[in-house]
Amino acid sequence: MQYRTDKAGNALSILGYGCMRFTKKGAEIDLDKAEQELMYAIRHGVNYLDTAYVYPGNEEAVGKILAKNNCRGEVYLATKLPHYLIRSASGAQKKFTEELHRLQTDYIDYYLMHMLNDVKTWERLVDQGIGDWIAQKRASGEIRHIGFSYHGNSENFKALLDVYDWDFCQIQYNYLDEHTQAGREGLLYAAEKGIPVIIMEPLRGGRLVNDLPQEAKRLIADAGYTPAGLALAWLWAQPEVTCVLSGMNSLDMVKENIRIAQNAGMQELSPKQEDLIRQVRQEIARSVKVGCTGCGYCMPCPNRVDIPMAFHAYNAKYTEGKKSGRKEYLQSTAMRRETTSASQCIGCGRCEKYCPQGIPIREKLKEAVRELETPSYKIVKWAVQKFHFY
Ligand code: SF4
Ligand code: SF4
């Protein structure tokens, strides 16, 4: 295994274990299978494990496996505060105590504000006393490092990085998200500030492996890669990436990812490799609804529509499935104080003047609204605003 050092000098394995995808047996996690996979990874050098309060049964499963194998001290444990479920510092304390109990530990190495998507939400948390609560937990050693996980655009991400002295952060990033979500722009900004970046969704939930167009698969195989190998190589070639989480749920997947991590080159991609990524992206773009490259030239929209994100989610609905596209759209546009939904478009046309792809943005946004803003989307958006979940 190879390691990269974070702000505090901890050597984190470049491959981290995203525990949220443990296999289920009925409604329960298959603990024996999860143990076999997780312990194989730990025994082969993976030392960063990621879970969260809201992943059903997940913290308990991780806690049981680590306790049974007596290896809590061998790993860095990351979990998350569901800040949208709390209203006060005492509420945070209650959830945190529960998490320690589930994980069978008395400290968390890397603690994240889960899906912290804008500065206004952070300011609400500070008003509730969460900033002081975090300071106390850090002083007592119960929280070793504080960070946040993020789904949103690069502008809001950079603003969040500026508003507090974070130890680390976690973003969705892969070769399709280079210019959406926090994107490369956000990654570089974090690196400039010396903030380590943990990567989630490096394979877009496995879709850069399983759902690639045939021609993209052929290009990758001809170049001597596996789809996962190419996606991970693209990430590890960027020195600003600290640790890449993979939601592994089969022993074969664990073994393959460890093999790739052991052999990963850490230098920049060669022009030939860059060209391969470009061709694979083109093949994926051919199979989508809107040929948006995510360049962001159309932004900002005066009415706060996140145009590249709306098209990204709209495309994902077709390439990755209805559920995936709608989930991404909901997380990225509605679960925040200042919403960025496509339906906020007032049709001014300003954005279309700047689009190098000549996309009829207004028309395509209307399509996206029809397909992504379902009755349940509207209910969640309304509830988030009404009850100030964010
Ligand atoms: S046309 Fe719609 S999306 Fe484009 S800038 Fe105007 S309000 Fe924003
Ligand atoms: S300018 Fe065009 S291609 Fe670029 S993000 Fe906006 S819609 Fe997409």
Side-chain angles (χ1 to χ4, degrees), residues 291-299 307-308 311 351 354-357 359 361:
C292 170
T293 59
C295 67
Y297 294 146
C298 54
M299 297 286 282
I307 301 166
F311 291 153
C351 53
Y354 300 100
C355 178
Q357 310 300 324
I359 294 169
I361 295 177

Side-chain angles (χ1 to χ4, degrees), residues 1 3 13 15-17 41-42 44-49 75 248 258:
M1 183 54 60
Y3 297 86
S13 52
L15 176 67
Y17 208 116
I42 293 172
H44 288 80
V46 171
N47 70 0
Y48 188 96
L49 316 185
V75 295
M248 298 174 273
I258 288 175

Side-chain angles (χ1 to χ4, degrees), residues 72-200:
R72 167 68 184 94
E74 292 173 39
V75 295
Y76 296 114
L77 203 43
T79 194
K80 310 184 186 85
L81 178 72
H83 58 82
Y84 33 83
L85 300 180
I86 60 165
R87 289 286 169 271
S88 63
S90 63
Q93 178 59 42
K94 205 166 155 220
K95 291 276 182 282
F96 183 71
T97 305
E98 204 181 331
E99 292 186 289
L100 292 180
H101 179 70
R102 290 171 171 185
L103 287 160
Q104 306 191 31
T105 188
D106 53 9
Y107 67 97
I108 302 297
D109 299 279
Y110 292 86
Y111 199 54
L112 301 98
M113 301 292 112
H114 196 182
M115 287 203 295
L116 183 62
N117 287 343
D118 59 25
V119 169
K120 289 221 159 124
T121 305
W122 172 247
E123 286 169 350
R124 172 182 68 79
L125 291 172
V126 171
D127 289 346
Q128 291 172 353
I130 303 299
D132 293 339
W133 177 81
I134 290 170
Q136 284 164 19
K137 295 287 126 188
R138 292 176 78 171
S140 68
E142 289 166 279
I143 292 176
R144 303 277 163 94
H145 309 284
I146 190 77
F148 64 99
S149 63
Y150 181 79
H151 290 278
N153 61 25
S154 53
E155 196 189 335
N156 279 332
F157 178 67
K158 292 195 289 186
L160 267 171
L161 288 180
D162 286 339
V163 85
Y164 185 73
D165 185 17
W166 303 103
D167 295 318
F168 72 109
C169 59
Q170 183 169 313
I171 60 171
Q172 171 171 328
Y173 190 53
N174 53 63
Y175 66 73
L176 279 193
D177 283 319
E178 186 173 10
H179 301 296
T180 49
Q181 299 271 335
R184 180 141 180 82
E185 188 182 336
L187 175 75
L188 294 181
Y189 191 73
E192 253 172 51
K193 294 177 77 88
I195 299 175
V197 184
I198 310 294
I199 304 299
M200 58 184 158

